[in-house]
Amino acid sequence: MPDIGTDQGARGARPSPHLPPVAVAGLYLAVCLAPLVLAYLQSVAPMVAWGMAAAGLGLVGLAAMTAQFVTSGRFQIISGGLGIDRVMAFHKTAAWWVFLVALIHPVIYIVPTYIADPALAIERLWAYYTLPHYRSGVIALFALGLLVSVAALHRHLPLPYELWRATHIVLALVATGAGLHHALTVGRFSASASLSGFWWVMGALVAGVVLILYGWRWARLHTRQWRLASVTKVADRLWELDIQPVPGTRPLVYRAGQFVWLTEGTRRFPLFDHPFSIADSPARQGLSLIVKEAGDFTNRIGTLAKGTPIGIDGPYGNFTLKGRGGDAVLLIAGGVGIAPVMGILRDLVARGHSRPVRLAYAAGMPRNFACLDEIGAAASKLDLTTLLLSETDATDWTSEIGLLDRARLSDLLRGLNPKQTVAMICGPGPMVTAVADDLIDLGLPADRIMYERFDYSEGASRLDRRMRRRFLGLAAGLGLGVAAFVAVQA
């Protein structure tokens, strides 16, 4: 099977390696279940099954809490084979089950008491939440509950983006630190040398992750210097930034379609960075980013002065053609989703791609379209068919009007073998969901459909449902681990 994505990154270098998705899942299960294995090897006083279940859930939940620090999408070795959408969707999902485990962990301990004497059980539960001996566990639970609640509601809260991120990391550190302290001071199994050593290692891992994210990467933002060469308005509320490395700074090694985290001026600190797709080919020096005015930072993107210092952290993501064998490429962009799609298209032009390329570009109104002249010129260098689709009409609009439905997708695929076509979709969540399902109905294999959304919320397409089933499979694996732990200790 020919590989339609043969780019090797800037100047022939190879981008950062990453683990296969199966390996990432296996590593996650191994880390989360490791404390159960270490606990099983210890000799402790006998406990009833409910007590074993509560202890097992606490051990797994704490390990999963520490693992959250490396499922944040900022480590390419973890996210490179999965994509930022899937990694962040898992990060959100896992946060809720960690909170659920922390919530029910003390409750399960009192179930036998509740069966015999409900009043005594309530008194015992109240002691868990009020006695100084258990205070660090209560702090961990409160911080974790506040963390997941604010994360779920932050779009509806009057919190600046940077303040929300700072709050998120502080609450995560408080919850994890207090949880580790609780395990080491109260946990029956964690009193053993092997399991306490495991928690110290996990604590050191969390500290190392924070130092990498907010220490080492902060230093790199200042030692690997970039400058804004130009900022150009390319459509209504859309700007294209040309960012060039300062002489002596190594070129960024990336693949077309990936993204970077950007900071600017004196705010070159990881807490203030924002993710933007690369709208460029590795064949060109520097980076092009297409940015939409959509928030506190991006609303002033067009006012940045030429020569502004820029911090670049990346690349990240797997929205690329590399390794996706096929005979044709279908590119689909909605709104500012044109950014990574333009990166892929520009790279296909730069590499003299010879196989068929189909491009569907949808926007709310004609003035929202960017790079139309360049897309038109690409048709002279590629076997390119383009569909431009505006939701609303205008007097000077000569292309199609309406939504990107199944009929239009079918027309765009005419003459191509769907089973040998790779689809790359980027845009608003509802569009991505609808298009992905339509393409599956039109014969494209699910593993040949790649997408990126504007946010990291889980969607409702068949691909999303498959992803959720895999998440549930991991949760079930952890549950089976706890059940086995209880069974062998009984």
Side-chain angles (χ1 to χ4, degrees):
M1 180 65 63
D3 184 356
I4 58 176
T6 57
D7 53 305
Q8 293 298 314
R11 300 186 180 182
R14 299 187 66 184
S16 302
H18 57 262
L19 294 173
V22 173
V24 173
L27 183 60
Y28 181 82
L29 287 173
V31 168
C32 293
L33 295 176
L36 294 183
V37 176
L38 295 174
Y40 169 71
L41 298 175
Q42 307 308 314
S43 297
V44 298
M47 297 172 64
V48 298
W50 286 105
M52 283 292 181
L57 282 173
L59 294 173
V60 169
L62 183 56
M65 190 190 303
T66 60
Q68 285 292 93
F69 282 83
V70 294
T71 61
S72 61
R74 299 302 288 262
F75 294 93
Q76 185 67 1
I77 192 169
I78 299 295
S79 63
L82 293 163
I84 189 67
D85 292 72
R86 292 165 179 81
V87 171
M88 292 308 299
F90 176 77
H91 183 78
K92 289 184 174 184
T93 301
W96 280 106
W97 77 46
V98 168
F99 174 59
L100 179 62
V101 165
L103 194 63
I104 66 174
H105 163 65
V107 176
I108 295 179
Y109 272 115
I110 67 162
V111 170
T113 306
Y114 186 84
I115 294 172
D117 187 343
L120 179 61
I122 299 301
E123 182 179 337
R124 184 181 172 195
L125 182 62
W126 180 250
Y128 285 154
Y129 289 116
T130 56
L131 290 178
H133 191 52
Y134 302 106
R135 188 161 295 159
S136 58
V138 176
I139 292 172
L141 177 60
F142 179 79
L144 188 58
L146 191 58
L147 185 151
V148 295
S149 300
V150 172
L153 299 173
H154 80 275
R155 293 180 182 274
H156 308 287
L157 298 174
L159 288 177
Y161 174 75
E162 290 84 359
L163 179 58
W164 169 75
R165 286 185 62 185
T167 302
H168 194 80
I169 186 64
V170 168
L171 288 173
L173 287 172
V174 169
T176 304
L180 289 170
H181 179 271
H182 177 70
L184 290 168
T185 57
V186 177
R188 178 181 304 200
F189 292 101
S190 297
S192 68
S194 58
L195 193 47
S196 65
F198 176 83
W199 294 132
W200 280 105
V201 169
M202 297 306 289
L205 174 66
V206 169
V209 167
V210 174
L211 286 174
I212 289 173
L213 291 179
Y214 296 99
W216 180 64
R217 288 189 175 172
W218 168 80
R220 287 209 312 173
L221 291 176
H222 290 266
T223 56
R224 297 184 177 183
Q225 299 185 46
W226 297 70
R227 290 286 186 272
L228 181 63
S230 67
V231 55
T232 306
K233 190 171 187 176
V234 292
D236 181 48
R237 300 173 60 212
L238 281 183
W239 300 83
E240 183 161 13
L241 282 62
D242 181 18
I243 304 169
Q244 295 294 327
V246 171
T249 296
R250 291 184 300 171
L252 186 70
V253 178
Y254 71 95
R255 291 189 173 118
Q258 289 189 293
F259 72 94
V260 295
W261 293 81
L262 176 145
T263 53
E264 53 83 21
T266 60
R267 294 162 58 87
R268 280 175 292 159
F269 184 72
L271 191 63
F272 303 118
D273 58 14
H274 298 261
F276 298 107
S277 295
I278 304 172
D280 214 340
S281 165
R284 189 186 82 93
Q285 179 174 305
L287 294 173
S288 171
L289 307 178
I290 295 177
V291 179
K292 180 181 179 180
E293 297 176 15
D296 294 341
F297 173 71
T298 54
N299 282 344
R300 59 184 179 85
I301 202 76
T303 66
L304 294 180
K306 180 179 178 180
T308 297
I310 300 293
I312 295 293
D313 177 29
Y316 297 98
N318 74 335
F319 189 72
T320 75
L321 291 175
K322 180 63 181 177
R324 310 192 194 286
D327 297 333
V329 181
L330 174 62
L331 303 175
I332 299 175
V336 74
I338 192 63
V341 168
M342 278 305 300
I344 295 172
L345 185 66
R346 286 168 170 169
D347 193 50
L348 294 176
V349 170
R351 294 191 288 111
H353 186 79
S354 60
R355 297 186 180 92
V357 180
R358 303 291 183 263
L359 169 63
Y361 181 13
M365 53 190 67
R367 68 171 183 265
N368 298 141
F369 286 87
C371 307
L372 293 187
D373 291 342
E374 187 175 356
I375 291 172
S380 65
K381 300 179 181 180
L382 300 172
D383 178 4
L384 175 64
T385 299
T386 300
L387 168 64
L388 302 177
L389 191 59
S390 172
E391 292 184 20
T392 59
D393 197 1
T395 55
D396 58 347
W397 182 249
T398 58
S399 296
E400 294 194 40
I401 301 168
L403 300 176
L404 185 56
D405 54 21
R406 187 178 304 180
R408 287 190 166 101
L409 289 170
S410 180
D411 289 341
L412 201 59
L413 288 169
R414 186 172 291 116
L416 304 180
N417 180 356
K419 295 190 179 302
Q420 299 301 328
T421 299
V422 176
M424 311 293 289
I425 315 167
C426 185
M431 186 205 82
V432 170
T433 295
V435 169
D437 280 346
D438 284 342
L439 290 177
I440 291 175
D441 290 337
L442 290 171
L444 268 73
D447 59 359
R448 291 188 185 275
I449 300 174
M450 290 299 301
Y451 60 78
E452 277 193 353
R453 297 187 180 91
F454 295 164
D455 60 47
Y456 302 136
S457 302
E458 294 183 42
S461 72
R462 273 170 275 180
L463 295 177
D464 297 318
R465 292 196 293 272
R466 183 178 69 173
M467 175 180 67
R468 281 194 290 273
R469 287 194 295 270
R470 291 173 176 175
F471 291 171
L472 290 174
L474 285 175
L478 298 180
L480 288 173
V482 173
F485 174 72
V486 173
V488 297
Q489 295 281 7

